[in-house]
Amino acid sequence: MYKYNDFDEAFVRERVAQFSAQVARRIDGSLTEEEFRPLRLMNGLYLQLHAYMLRVAIPYGTLNSGQMDQLAHIAETYDRGYGHFTTRQNIQYNWPKLPDVPAILTDLADVEMHAIQTSGNTIRNVTADHFAGAAADEVADPRPVAELVRQWSTDHPEFQFLPRKFKIAVSGAKADRAVIKAHDIGLYLREQDGEIGAQIIVGGGLGRTPMVGKVLKDFVSLADLLPYLEATVSVWNLLGRRDNKYKARIKITVHEHGIEDIRARVEARFAQVKPLFGGIDMAMLEEIKAAFAPPAFVEAATEAYDRAYATDAVFRAWADTNLSAHRAPGYAIATVSIKTPGQTPGDASADQMRVLAQLARDYGHDELRISHEQNVILPHVHKSDLPAIHAALKEAGLAAANIGLVSDIIACPGMDYCALATARSIPVAQGIATRFDELKLEHEIGPLKIKISGCINACGHHHVGHIGILGLDRAGVENYQITLGGDGTEDMVIGERTGPGFAYDEIIPAIERILATYLELREAPEETFLEAYRRLGMAPFKDALYPPKEEKANAA
């Protein structure tokens, strides 16, 4: 993992001191809320529906055990005993008191963490594939590049007041596990003629105008990467709409000007800024790479795993769903579900965080990852340790065998917390997960991604869910629209809306009808929901959702 140097330490401490003084001025009335707002947003502090919310950055989703322990301490000391892991690889605290925020930021600085640029019209937390450095299909570890981009973008003088927020994601694997094409800039690390570089995707995004990112440059060498990013963001900073925040994102700029025009402008700007870097970025990258050397993997027998897999059906179910292939022999990547049916997706208690920290210390080379799907990953675990890990997870209520299944639902906080939300998300996610747990159909249905957003801003990524649910307000009543066929992988597709929305008490039965139709019409158990939808199209699912009036009357 990357360790702070003296500059990093001094920079974060200075920001804590600066914001602590601003908080004191807000409390004593020297600053109005209007004056305080831009200052708090620069430091990740929101004013939500019921209280302040602090969003803490987890750069490219990577944590060590000490950091996870500190997050648990903050949850227990300053909040209500839990934290919420988000789709941007952050953690949010929903109930901090304003006078306590300086102490929280100090506690974060003690473990090399912060909340800088987790809000505002800046370059936000840089995200990455949560299997980085471990995945069997990886071409290059994206974390050194993500760290370089983080350092470049933090407090960048030209990019602190952009037209809108700006999000960058990095992937170095064949499979896209970072939703690259839904970001303002997505970086695919690739090898070309023996050299590692990046394909640059630009103009992706969800929200009220979902768009799939376009290829800006097919291959940029690492030596040119930061200048090329600087050129791209600079071009958008000049062109981006500041008259209308709904049209300010780079996806709209690319749409209005066309990718060819944007590419020409970026190339021209790149020629200007490239000489200004002088190679310092590559010297930084080499230093950063050294911090991400792989751990010392051990060679050991796997009999304990093999025996547990053969004799323990509960362990076998968990292994089949929650383990992924690792690049090192005898190792696996273990995804810990923070989606036990009935629980709030992404919420982990302080006690659970401490269990995860201890498992990382004892079995996981002291590494943890947060996924954009709101789960926690132990990226490097030897198979011989998996039975002990599973036993500890069961005791902590974290052993749900549901990764990639119906109850592994992405959900934003919705109207339970968010001031922007127009409908509840959490109870819908809980209801769906509980219902299919009762029906015992989850494993029969197989791989399925359900994503729920409580407003059109799409923080729950509903546009790229195999089944997407969008909660809206219709004349003061919650109404839930359904989309089908979305895909957030390297083959990204925006889901298609089925038709009129459903009331709060109708949405779970509607999902049941969709999945009953899939089970009836699939060609074989191996055909996934997404594959069946692509083969069948919308028609049979629409028929199931909106039966003719006569059929409704007969059913009544």
Side-chain angles (χ1 to χ4, degrees):
M1 284 181 60
Y2 177 78
K3 299 288 292 179
Y4 277 10
N5 58 29
D6 291 342
F7 174 84
D8 299 322
E9 176 73 18
F11 173 79
V12 172
R13 296 288 182 182
E14 183 181 336
R15 283 293 293 264
V16 172
Q18 180 189 67
F19 189 55
S20 298
Q22 293 165 347
V23 169
R25 291 168 63 202
R26 175 68 188 106
I27 291 171
D28 71 18
S30 302
L31 288 174
T32 66
E33 174 54 34
E34 185 178 352
E35 292 168 328
F36 183 56
R37 182 176 182 273
L39 304 176
R40 64 172 168 78
L41 289 177
M42 290 173 67
N43 293 279
L45 189 63
Y46 288 74
L47 187 57
Q48 292 282 67
L49 197 60
H50 307 293
Y52 283 103
M53 178 271 281
L54 181 67
R55 180 180 293 150
V56 177
I58 303 175
Y60 36 90
T62 297
L63 287 167
N64 61 33
S65 60
Q67 291 170 328
M68 184 67 95
D69 274 335
Q70 191 77 319
L71 296 180
H73 164 75
I74 290 168
E76 204 167 58
T77 307
Y78 304 108
D79 206 277
R80 295 186 176 180
Y82 68 93
H84 177 73
F85 293 110
T86 78
T87 57
R88 291 286 305 157
Q89 296 180 313
N90 299 303
I91 186 171
Q92 294 180 178
Y93 295 104
N94 289 314
W95 302 100
K97 295 179 175 60
L98 182 58
D100 290 335
V101 172
I104 297 173
L105 296 178
T106 299
D107 286 349
L108 289 170
D110 288 344
V111 292
E112 303 184 358
M113 297 185 75
H114 61 77
I116 299 166
Q117 290 183 206
T118 58
S119 182
N121 293 338
T122 60
I123 296 175
R124 299 286 187 88
N125 184 39
V126 180
T127 60
D129 180 357
H130 43 269
F131 290 171
D137 67 336
E138 190 168 81
V139 175
D141 187 341
R143 292 173 302 159
V145 169
E147 174 60 28
L148 180 69
V149 173
R150 185 194 69 82
Q151 292 192 25
W152 161 77
S153 62
T154 299
D155 223 27
H156 192 301
E158 187 179 345
F159 303 147
Q160 291 306 295
F161 299 97
L162 294 168
R164 280 288 272 134
K165 57 189 174 183
F166 200 88
K167 299 175 181 178
I168 299 175
V170 192
S171 175
K174 294 176 182 176
D176 178 12
R177 290 176 287 266
V179 204
I180 292 294
K181 292 182 178 178
H183 282 75
D184 298 291
I185 288 180
L187 304 177
Y188 273 120
L189 300 188
R190 293 289 182 261
E191 184 176 355
Q192 182 173 297
D193 299 326
E195 179 185 13
I196 298 296
Q199 182 186 62
I200 313 290
I201 307 292
V202 68
L206 303 178
R208 65 181 59 233
T209 313
M211 293 186 179
V212 178
K214 298 177 174 62
V215 176
L216 180 65
K217 183 95 168 179
D218 200 55
F219 187 85
V220 173
S221 70
L222 293 183
D224 289 339
L225 182 59
L226 279 195
Y228 209 86
L229 292 180
E230 177 117 2
T232 304
V233 183
S234 296
V235 165
W236 172 66
N237 197 22
L238 290 173
L239 290 179
R241 298 275 297 270
R242 285 179 163 85
D243 61 321
N244 185 333
K245 71 176 184 178
Y246 302 116
K247 297 183 178 180
R249 297 292 291 269
I250 194 172
K251 62 186 178 182
I252 303 299
T253 308
V254 171
H255 178 71
E256 290 182 341
H257 288 261
I259 189 66
E260 296 297 337
D261 179 72
I262 297 297
R263 185 180 294 117
R265 292 172 186 264
V266 169
E267 292 289 343
R269 180 64 178 154
F270 170 73
Q272 295 173 333
V273 302
K274 168 63 177 172
L276 304 178
F277 281 76
I280 184 64
D281 48 331
M282 286 299 94
M284 289 172 61
L285 181 59
E286 288 308 308
E287 290 182 12
I288 290 168
K289 280 181 180 178
F292 292 98
F297 296 124
V298 300
E299 292 185 15
T302 62
E303 280 91 344
Y305 168 81
D306 298 332
R307 185 168 54 253
Y309 189 87
T311 61
D312 184 341
V314 174
F315 175 79
R316 183 166 59 251
W318 179 79
D320 285 344
T321 55
N322 292 44
L323 299 184
S324 300
H326 196 283
R327 64 192 312 163
Y331 274 76
I333 302 168
T335 299
V336 180
S337 173
I338 313 296
K339 315 278 187 62
T340 299
Q343 301 302 306
T344 301
D347 277 10
S349 70
D351 287 342
Q352 289 174 327
M353 290 185 218
R354 289 195 179 96
V355 168
L356 292 165
Q358 192 62 49
L359 289 174
R361 268 191 295 271
D362 292 344
Y363 305 111
H365 297 276
D366 204 33
E367 281 194 46
L368 295 148
R369 306 285 169 75
I370 308 302
S371 76
H372 80 272
E373 295 181 320
Q374 301 174 290
N375 292 311
V376 179
I377 289 91
L378 293 163
H380 310 294
V381 290
H382 196 274
K383 288 185 175 181
S384 61
D385 293 322
L386 284 167
I389 290 170
H390 181 249
L393 292 174
K394 277 200 296 186
E395 190 172 339
L398 291 169
N402 64 348
I403 296 301
L405 303 181
V406 171
S407 60
D408 185 15
I409 298 171
I410 286 182
C412 72
M415 211 161 59
D416 288 297
Y417 297 101
C418 183
L420 300 176
T422 50
R424 290 169 290 174
S425 298
I426 292 170
V428 175
Q430 291 170 319
I432 293 170
T434 301
R435 178 58 177 155
F436 282 93
D437 186 50
E438 292 168 349
L439 294 172
K440 304 303 178 190
L441 283 174
E442 198 164 37
H443 288 268
E444 174 68 19
I445 291 166
L448 179 70
K449 295 189 180 295
I450 299 179
K451 306 178 191 291
I452 305 173
S453 300
C455 80
I456 204 164
N457 290 306
C459 294
H461 295 188
H462 67 276
H463 293 296
V464 291
H466 302 166
I467 299 176
I469 301 172
L470 168 62
L472 297 170
D473 180 299
R474 290 284 185 259
V477 177
E478 289 169 298
N479 183 271
Y480 294 87
Q481 293 180 356
I482 296 175
T483 54
L484 298 178
D487 184 359
T489 70
E490 59 277 11
D491 301 315
M492 181 176 162
V493 174
I494 303 298
E496 182 183 0
R497 185 178 162 189
T498 61
F502 296 86
Y504 177 77
D505 60 356
E506 296 175 333
I507 186 62
I508 296 173
I511 301 302
E512 280 192 64
R513 295 199 297 278
I514 290 170
L515 293 178
T517 302
Y518 157 65
L519 290 174
E520 180 185 350
L521 298 180
R522 68 184 181 183
E523 290 186 324
E526 294 74 30
E527 185 179 41
T528 67
F529 174 85
L530 187 58
E531 289 167 344
Y533 177 80
R534 289 172 173 170
R535 175 175 60 83
L536 296 165
M538 175 67 78
F541 300 99
K542 198 164 186 174
D543 289 344
L545 284 173
Y546 309 103
K549 291 181 180 178
E550 314 85 69
E551 191 176 320
K552 281 187 180 179
N554 293 335

